[in-house]
Amino acid sequence: MKLLKNMDLLVVDDSDIICKSSRILLTKIGFNRDKIRLVGQANRAVLECRVTAFDILIVDYNLGEGSTGLQLLERLYHEKLLAHDPIILIVTADNSATVIRSFSEFEPSGFIVKPLRVDVLTESLKACMDEKAFITRVVDSYHQAGLSEALPTLKEAKSKKIYNLALTKLCSEIISVGEDDIASRLLVNYIKANSYVRAHIMYVDLMLKAGNIEEAEKVLLPLRKANRFSVPVLELECRFQFEKGMYEQAAESMLHLHKMSPQRLPRLYALILQHVGFLANENIAKLIQELAFKSSHSIWEEPNLYFLLSWILLQEAEFSNRSTSEIWGMLTRNKKFTKPDNSLQSRLGVWSLANSGQYSAAYELLQSCEEVEECFETLFVAYHTLHVLGMWQEMQSTLQKLVAISDQEPQSLLRDIQNKMAKKLIADWRSQKSTLVTFPKSFDGLPIEYLFKLWGDYRFNIKVAEQIVSHDDYKQQEGIAGNKSLFKEVNLTIEQNKKLIEE
C-alpha cells in the first residue's frame, strides 16, 4: 500500500469550514496537503473522480442542494469510478440505524460521527487501511497462484469482519473473470454456516443470473425473514419477484423499498419503468413528479430522465392537453432550455404529431431533428415513435441497440427491468410483424393496391415510395381524394431521401 504522503484524498462536505478543518486534521496525521482535494458539491466530486482515482474518500452524509453522500456513492458506482476499491468514510451527525442501513449495499469502509477528531480519524483510517491491505493480499494471491494460494491466505484474517470482506471481494474477482461456478461453490459452502448477508446476496444473485430460480428462492426466503429491514435484501427480493413475473408483488416491494430509502432515486425510477412496461398505475404521475422534484439540483438531474418522464406524462389523461414544453417546464421547474433539451423536446414533438395521426408532419420533423445521445430513455421513446409511424425496419435496429444498452446498466434492479422491457418489446415486435403484409423480394407486376397496403405497414420506406410513384397506375390513383394523405407521405419520403443523398 502507498505511503500516507503519496495518497490522493477527496473530502466532500458542503461546509467550507469543515472541508478546510478536515485538511488540517489529515495533514497532522501525515497526509500530503497538496494531495487533498476539497469539494463542496456532489457534482464536483463526480468530476474530480473522473480525473483522479482517489485512495481515500471522506464524504459528508448531507451535501445540500438536493444531494446526499448516499446519492454521490450511488453515482460513483454507477459510473464505475470506484472500481479500484478506495477507502470510503462517511461523516454524519446522525449515526442512527436508519442512516447506516441506507448505506448497507455500498458497504463503506466506516462511519465517523461529527465533530471530527484527530484520534478518531487516525484510528478509523488505520483500521480501514489494515483491512484493505489484507484484502489486496488475498486477491493478489488469487491472481498469482489461484485458489490454492488465495484460500490459505484468507484463513489468516484477524477478524470475522475482515474474513467476510475478503471472501466477498475474492468472489467478485472470480466472477469478473467469468468463473461464476467457482464463486458459487465457495459461497454456497460458506453461507451454510455463516450469516454474512453480503455473501448470501452474492450467491442468490449468481443463481438468478444462471436462471436457477428454485435455488435462489431456497436461500432468499430465510434471508428475507432474518433481515426484514435490509435494503439490499429487499431489493434482491424485488428482482426475484420480477424474474418470476410477479409484477404486482414486485411493485409493492419496490414501493416499500422506496419508503425505506427515499433518497435512492434510481430505485424510484425503476419503479416508474416497471409500471410503464408491465403495470398500469393510477399514481404514476405522482411518482414521476416526486422523482422530478427530487432530481432537480441533484446528482441525478439529466435531460434524458426528463425526456422519458415527459413522454410518459404526455400519455396521461390529465396532461394530454398540455404541450411538450409545458410538461418539460413543469418537471424542470422552468429552467432555461439548453441545446440538448431542445433536441429532446423536438423528438417529443415527433411522437405527439405521430400519435395524433399527423404522420407526414411527424416524419418531416423527425428528419430535421438533431442527433441525441443514444441511451435507454431516448431509444425506448424512439422505438414507440417509430411504431406509431409504422417504420418497422427502423424499429428492428432500434430494438437491437436497446437490448445492448440495457445490458450495460450497472444497477442490478434497473438493469433487470430495462432488459426485460427490451425483450418484451422484441416479442411484441415479432408478434406484430407476423401480421404485416409480406415485404416482396421483387416488386415486378404488383398491383398498386398491394403497394398501398404495403405502405400502411412500411410507412416512409424509400423502396416502397419509389415503386408507388413509378407504377403505371400512379397518375390515375393520385387524383383520388382518399389517397391524398398517402401520396403526400410518399412524395415527402422521396424528397427527404434526395436531401440526404445531396448532403
Side-chain angles (χ1 to χ4, degrees):
M1 183 171 284
K2 293 180 182 177
L3 297 173
L4 296 186
K5 65 179 182 179
N6 294 329
M7 288 186 173
D8 291 295
L9 285 80
L10 179 66
V11 178
V12 190
D13 198 300
D14 61 331
S15 167
D16 188 52
I17 294 174
I18 292 177
C19 274
K20 289 178 179 177
S21 63
S22 297
R23 180 157 60 187
I24 293 170
L25 292 178
L26 290 166
T27 53
K28 287 182 178 179
I29 293 172
F31 293 99
N32 184 338
R33 186 183 188 281
D34 294 334
K35 296 181 77 66
I36 302 172
R37 297 289 297 166
L38 309 177
V39 296
Q41 298 173 332
N43 286 320
R44 281 285 312 281
V46 174
L47 294 176
E48 291 287 347
C49 289
R50 287 173 183 166
V51 175
T52 305
F54 291 97
D55 299 292
I56 300 173
L57 285 81
I58 299 176
V59 181
D60 186 29
Y61 174 73
N62 189 353
L63 297 177
E65 293 195 4
S67 288
T68 66
L70 175 60
Q71 290 175 347
L72 172 58
L73 286 193
E74 185 175 59
R75 185 69 193 218
L76 294 176
Y77 274 107
H78 189 272
E79 294 194 21
K80 300 180 181 178
L81 296 173
L82 302 178
H84 59 295
D85 288 323
I87 291 170
I88 301 172
L89 290 177
I90 304 300
V91 180
T92 175
D94 177 10
N95 66 339
S96 65
T98 303
V99 170
I100 293 174
R101 192 186 303 130
S102 67
F103 282 92
S104 57
E105 66 190 281
F106 297 119
E107 290 195 320
S109 310
F111 293 85
I112 299 178
V113 180
K114 291 182 178 179
L116 288 180
R117 291 177 15 217
V118 172
D119 57 338
V120 174
L121 190 56
T122 302
E123 185 179 343
S124 296
L125 285 171
K126 184 181 183 307
C128 291
M129 284 189 267
D130 287 346
E131 289 175 3
K132 184 173 175 60
F134 179 75
I135 292 170
T136 301
R137 191 155 68 89
V138 171
V139 171
D140 287 347
S141 65
Y142 167 72
H143 287 302
Q144 291 165 10
L147 287 179
S148 61
E149 183 67 27
L151 293 180
T153 305
L154 184 62
K155 291 178 180 178
E156 297 175 20
K158 294 180 180 179
S159 69
K160 191 73 171 177
K161 177 189 175 185
I162 295 178
Y163 185 96
N164 288 337
L165 292 171
L167 173 69
T168 49
K169 179 58 182 174
L170 174 61
C171 288
S172 294
E173 290 293 313
I174 294 171
I175 292 167
S176 71
V177 296
E179 299 287 355
D180 290 14
D181 289 343
I182 295 175
S184 296
R185 288 197 294 272
L186 279 176
L187 289 166
V188 74
N189 288 330
Y190 187 69
I191 64 176
K192 287 176 182 177
N194 294 276
S195 60
Y196 182 43
V197 173
R198 179 61 182 158
H200 284 74
I201 289 174
M202 287 186 75
Y203 180 70
V204 174
D205 185 64
L206 284 169
M207 292 302 99
L208 290 176
K209 183 179 174 183
N212 192 341
I213 305 300
E214 185 178 343
E215 177 67 11
E217 185 172 23
K218 186 173 75 174
V219 177
L220 179 59
L221 288 179
L223 180 67
R224 180 76 178 97
K225 288 179 182 178
N227 298 274
R228 292 176 52 231
F229 300 106
S230 169
V231 171
V233 173
L234 182 53
E235 178 166 311
L236 189 64
E237 183 179 44
C238 289
R239 291 177 56 207
F240 169 77
Q241 292 167 334
F242 192 76
E243 189 62 34
K244 287 194 72 174
M246 302 162 61
Y247 300 130
E248 290 186 10
Q249 294 94 321
E252 290 176 9
S253 297
M254 289 173 70
L255 279 170
H256 180 50
L257 196 55
H258 176 53
K259 290 176 182 177
M260 287 177 63
S261 184
Q263 298 302 322
R264 290 295 310 277
L265 301 188
R267 198 174 280 136
L268 176 56
Y269 175 49
L271 176 60
I272 291 169
L273 282 186
Q274 183 181 358
H275 284 298
V276 171
F278 303 96
L279 292 169
N281 184 276
E282 59 184 16
N283 295 318
I284 190 74
K286 183 179 177 182
L287 290 172
I288 287 172
Q289 291 183 65
E290 179 187 352
L291 177 56
F293 177 78
K294 287 183 175 178
S295 297
S296 183
H297 300 296
S298 85
I299 204 160
W300 288 106
E301 185 173 38
E302 294 180 343
N304 293 334
L305 176 65
Y306 292 132
F307 173 66
L308 182 62
L309 298 183
S310 297
W311 178 77
I312 296 169
L313 287 181
L314 280 169
Q315 298 166 79
E316 294 295 305
E318 61 184 297
F319 295 95
S320 58
N321 293 324
R322 297 199 187 187
S323 68
T324 57
S325 58
E326 281 182 304
I327 292 177
W328 189 282
M330 178 193 75
L331 294 177
T332 62
R333 301 186 189 181
N334 294 310
K335 287 184 179 179
K336 186 178 179 180
F337 292 164
T338 63
K339 188 175 181 180
D341 293 346
N342 289 328
S343 300
L344 291 168
Q345 281 196 65
S346 294
R347 291 180 180 269
L348 287 174
V350 173
W351 184 85
S352 295
L353 288 169
N355 198 50
S356 63
Q358 301 177 63
Y359 303 127
S360 294
Y363 179 73
E364 195 166 11
L365 179 57
L366 178 62
Q367 298 306 303
S368 66
C369 283
E370 294 186 19
E371 292 295 320
V372 295
E373 176 192 355
E374 287 192 342
C375 59
F376 181 85
E377 294 81 7
T378 55
L379 289 170
F380 186 77
V381 175
Y383 171 83
H384 286 279
T385 302
L386 293 168
H387 184 277
V388 176
L389 288 172
M391 300 172 68
W392 287 89
Q393 290 176 327
E394 291 81 358
M395 286 163 62
Q396 183 177 18
S397 61
T398 301
L399 277 177
Q400 290 169 346
K401 293 177 182 177
L402 194 62
V403 171
I405 279 183
S406 65
D407 282 334
Q408 295 169 16
E409 168 59 45
Q411 210 276 336
S412 300
L413 179 59
L414 198 52
R415 180 178 63 248
D416 288 353
I417 291 176
Q418 289 184 354
N419 198 266
K420 202 124 187 173
M421 288 174 75
K423 288 178 179 177
K424 181 175 182 290
L425 289 179
I426 288 175
D428 291 345
W429 179 83
R430 286 174 177 163
S431 174
Q432 293 171 38
K433 197 172 188 303
S434 65
T435 66
L436 301 181
V437 178
T438 303
F439 200 91
K441 292 181 180 179
S442 171
F443 289 90
D444 293 342
L446 289 177
I448 199 166
E449 290 79 12
Y450 187 88
L451 294 177
F452 287 170
K453 290 180 181 178
L454 200 62
W455 185 260
D457 288 340
Y458 299 92
R459 190 178 280 112
F460 303 111
N461 183 290
I462 186 60
K463 288 184 179 179
V464 181
E466 288 174 342
Q467 290 298 319
I468 289 174
V469 299
S470 64
H471 199 280
D472 293 340
D473 296 333
Y474 171 70
K475 290 294 182 184
Q476 178 185 347
Q477 294 289 334
E478 191 178 23
I480 299 174
N483 294 336
K484 186 176 180 181
S485 61
L486 184 151
F487 280 106
K488 181 180 179 181
E489 293 170 9
V490 168
N491 290 322
L492 178 62
T493 303
I494 292 173
E495 288 172 14
Q496 292 294 330
N497 189 63
K498 284 181 180 177
K499 284 183 182 179
L500 287 173
I501 293 173
E502 290 170 0
E503 291 174 358

